[in-house]
Amino acid sequence: MAEEQDPVDRVVAQAGKLAGWLARTSWQAAGRLPGGEVAQRQFRKAEKAVLDQVRKRLDEEGTFTDRLIEAPPAVVDGHVDPVRSAMAELLRLSTELGREQGRHHLFMSIVRQLVPDEARILAALSDGEVYALVHVAGRSTLGGPQRIVLRNASSVGRAAGVMLPDLVPDYVTRLLSLGVVHTGPEDQSLGTQYDILLTEDRVRSAETEVRTVHKLSPRYLKRTVKLSTLGTQFWDAARPG
């Protein structure tokens, strides 16, 4: 009797076939081809199944449910102080954990803070690709300091096929705060990406805010975004399969 295929392997294989077709076609173009929208929906469904199965397995193993630290209660003036207890436990662990255990704690703390769209962005960046990023700012015609109204709008959201495109600036900001991505100078070879990015709703709304609310002239600060060194190490450790 043939060995039954693992549920995660089964849905990963299904998602992989769909992802391969969508990658060859491009996510945006696939939706316009016959059967493309169905394939996109099936991929989303398979992707969700993968995440559900992985999370279920990790929950069974205690990976997501176990606390990273088990701090004994610290008593200060007759009262339990959980903050002091937690810090004491972290300091104790810092002297006892090995290098790999320390990396595990760090990477698990990152995983726990990600939302699905942010995971998709990291996957899109995982091949080392660089994407356009723009800050929308305003400046008086008389000069003076710039006022940034929108930070970190990026074409990586479109490439990743995120569910909530308007939140891409917020996703990138969060990923920057986690240290898994970093920004760099403008890349003139990404001219088309910058042009498309400036037409997106969130960017256009920020431009309108600059003109009508702040009474300033819009300025676009062009940058790029890619995985950081930490982000590359994290993806190597966390990538599915």
Side-chain angles (χ1 to χ4, degrees):
M1 182 176 179
E3 184 178 353
E4 184 178 355
Q5 187 179 21
D6 183 88
V8 174
D9 293 338
R10 187 167 57 250
V11 291
V12 166
Q14 179 187 358
K17 292 177 181 178
L18 290 167
W21 181 80
L22 290 169
R24 290 190 298 272
T25 311
S26 91
W27 185 270
Q28 297 297 326
R32 298 191 293 269
L33 295 177
E37 291 185 2
V38 174
Q40 286 179 333
R41 288 196 298 270
Q42 289 176 339
F43 177 75
R44 294 263 193 212
K45 186 175 181 180
E47 180 187 49
K48 182 178 184 300
V50 171
L51 292 174
D52 289 344
Q53 287 288 344
V54 170
R55 185 171 289 277
K56 179 180 179 182
R57 177 176 293 179
L58 291 173
D59 282 343
E60 291 172 351
E61 295 172 355
T63 310
F64 277 87
T65 55
D66 289 351
R67 295 172 59 195
L68 288 179
I69 59 174
E70 292 293 341
V75 180
V76 179
D77 296 330
H79 300 284
V80 174
D81 190 328
V83 176
R84 291 177 184 271
S85 298
M87 179 57 73
E89 182 66 6
L90 284 173
L91 291 172
R92 182 187 67 79
L93 288 173
S94 72
T95 65
E96 297 179 3
L97 293 180
R99 181 179 178 86
E100 289 306 312
Q101 290 174 308
R103 283 164 54 89
H104 171 76
H105 278 258
L106 173 61
F107 292 160
M108 282 306 305
S109 72
I110 294 174
V111 168
R112 287 174 169 171
Q113 295 178 74
L114 296 176
V115 300
D117 271 350
E118 291 166 351
R120 290 186 68 86
I121 289 174
L122 290 179
L125 292 169
S126 64
D127 60 358
E129 193 74 20
V130 177
Y131 290 91
L133 180 142
V134 166
H135 304 319
V136 181
R139 172 175 284 175
S140 170
T141 55
L142 300 178
Q146 294 187 117
R147 176 172 186 155
I148 297 180
V149 174
L150 176 66
R151 295 179 183 273
N152 303 321
S154 177
S155 59
V156 69
R158 182 184 295 267
V162 298
M163 294 176 287
L164 302 173
D166 284 350
L167 294 184
V168 169
D170 305 283
Y171 293 150
V172 175
T173 299
R174 280 169 44 85
L175 293 173
L176 283 166
S177 72
L178 291 174
V180 291
V181 302
H182 71 84
T183 60
E186 176 183 358
D187 185 338
Q188 295 185 354
S189 70
L190 303 178
T192 300
Q193 286 192 31
Y194 287 116
D195 290 343
I196 295 174
L197 185 55
L198 296 184
T199 69
E200 292 190 352
D201 291 343
R202 187 84 181 266
V203 175
R204 297 295 296 272
S205 295
E207 178 185 342
T208 300
E209 180 182 342
V210 169
R211 292 183 186 277
T212 62
V213 177
H214 304 293
K215 309 299 182 184
L216 299 172
S217 299
R219 295 288 187 275
Y220 300 105
L221 310 180
K222 296 179 180 180
R223 302 286 187 268
T224 51
V225 63
K226 63 181 296 185
L227 277 188
S228 65
T229 300
L230 173 61
T232 301
Q233 294 172 352
F234 168 73
W235 184 257
D236 287 344
R239 62 185 175 192

